Amino acid sequence: NLYPYTSFVSEGIEPLPQKKYLKNGVKFMLKIEQSAWIKGGGGREEPKKILTYNLPQYEIDNQGEEDYNKPIDYSKNTELTREFTFVAKVPYELEGWENSEDLTKIDTLELKEQVLNFYKNFRNIFENGDSHSYINYISKAEYRMFQCYYPSLEQAKEKSKKWIDFASKGKSFKPIENGRLQFSGNGKIVSIRGINPWDKNEGVLRYCYTKNGFNYVLVFDIFLHKPKGAKDFEIVWYQMLDKNFFKREAK
């Protein structure tokens, strides 16, 4: 998904309003490579190119070639979506959400309320500095993450300790204002995605902080599933995104 460009601004300058439409002439390339960490600390496999996509700048003529006299006009698009198919071969096996409940069978409003309550409870853990509960919430997803990324035992312990220490200090998160429910994993995974210009399609659990005079927002992107027969949700996957807003307000 491509969205309108927003300029960064310097200190003392009013931020420019969010652009409504895409801009012509923007160069964009997507490249997907296949690689893996070699177990036992042997480094990383040489990447293999799986897919490359360049956003076309010109229309295609009857012979299937770009016509450089006819630039494509993207300026009437508020966003642009492209879908690609590729084969992802992974060197490990995870049960993941294979045996999880189909969440699309639950009433959407009821499901969204349940997911919001889970997010709020997770947020309260950090705000209360309850690192013990944090471990219980995140442990299974963390194990999956470590399985995928092949860290050494010491690296895994160090990373886990870092987040336990972070959770134990108590953090004030921004309130969850709004968002939309999104399914993935054949309807077995659910999350709530942002809908504002600054958090579109990102997680709605956001912690703002300042470091060295710059404003940051740490986005907690939490994906939930419900194992077969389970009463409550579990975190099946998560990712953290640290965004630098320079001198602008971090949202």
Side-chain angles (χ1 to χ4, degrees):
N1 293 323
L2 297 180
Y3 301 108
Y5 175 76
T6 299
S7 301
F8 290 116
V9 296
S10 302
E11 186 176 10
I13 300 177
E14 287 295 321
L16 297 174
Q18 172 77 22
K19 300 290 185 182
K20 186 176 181 181
Y21 297 100
L22 296 173
K23 183 179 178 181
N24 286 328
V26 174
K27 301 294 193 300
F28 174 83
M29 184 183 75
L30 171 68
K31 182 169 65 174
I32 298 177
E33 296 179 336
Q34 173 185 309
S35 183
W37 292 107
I38 300 172
K39 290 186 176 181
R44 183 182 170 199
E45 292 180 357
E46 187 69 24
K48 300 175 184 177
K49 188 182 297 183
I50 301 298
L51 181 148
T52 300
Y53 172 79
N54 285 284
L55 182 68
Q57 301 296 317
Y58 300 93
E59 295 184 11
I60 306 297
D61 62 22
N62 293 332
Q63 282 73 44
E65 298 182 355
E66 285 191 326
D67 185 343
Y68 291 94
N69 293 318
K70 295 181 180 180
I72 298 175
D73 184 10
Y74 292 113
S75 64
K76 296 180 177 62
N77 296 76
T78 56
E79 63 182 81
L80 196 66
T81 301
R82 295 290 183 266
E83 294 186 359
F84 308 95
T85 299
F86 60 93
V87 177
K89 297 180 180 179
V90 294
Y92 53 81
E93 292 184 6
L94 296 176
E95 179 180 332
W97 50 89
E98 182 179 354
N99 297 314
S100 301
E101 301 283 356
D102 183 354
L103 301 174
T104 61
K105 296 179 181 180
I106 303 175
D107 176 78
T108 304
L109 292 178
E110 179 184 343
L111 180 62
K112 186 175 182 180
E113 186 65 26
Q114 291 177 11
V115 175
L116 275 174
N117 286 335
F118 187 100
Y119 281 5
K120 290 175 181 177
N121 289 336
F122 185 81
R123 182 185 63 191
N124 290 340
I125 286 173
F126 277 91
E127 293 184 337
N128 295 329
D130 187 355
S131 58
H132 179 73
S133 294
Y134 163 77
I135 296 170
N136 290 336
Y137 264 75
I138 209 76
S139 59
K140 292 182 180 179
E142 187 179 60
Y143 176 75
R144 294 187 188 95
M145 190 78 70
F146 291 156
Q147 248 188 308
C148 296
Y149 292 159
Y150 295 143
S152 67
L153 181 58
E154 290 305 314
Q155 288 172 328
K157 287 181 178 180
E158 183 179 348
K159 184 176 179 63
S160 186
K161 183 180 183 302
K162 175 184 174 182
W163 284 107
I164 291 171
D165 292 343
F166 181 85
S168 68
K169 295 175 182 177
K171 307 292 180 182
S172 294
F173 280 58
K174 292 185 69 67
I176 301 174
E177 296 177 351
N178 45 44
R180 64 180 177 87
L181 202 66
Q182 179 174 290
F183 294 99
S184 53
N186 296 323
K188 296 180 179 181
I189 298 177
V190 68
S191 61
I192 294 180
R193 324 300 296 165
I195 59 175
N196 301 299
W198 60 84
D199 68 353
K200 197 164 188 177
N201 281 334
E202 295 179 355
V204 293
L205 285 170
R206 308 171 78 83
Y207 164 66
C208 298
Y209 66 99
T210 301
K211 183 178 180 180
N212 298 328
F214 293 97
N215 297 323
Y216 294 83
V217 58
L218 180 61
V219 181
F220 288 69
D221 217 347
I222 305 295
F223 299 86
L224 306 179
H225 77 137
K226 189 175 287 188
K228 286 281 187 183
K231 179 182 178 182
D232 301 317
F233 284 111
E234 290 181 0
I235 299 175
V236 67
W237 192 259
Y238 69 94
Q239 56 192 21
M240 309 300 192
L241 173 64
D242 212 9
K243 299 176 65 179
N244 187 332
F245 280 76
F246 294 92
K247 299 297 181 179
R248 293 168 52 198
E249 179 187 359
K251 295 185 178 181

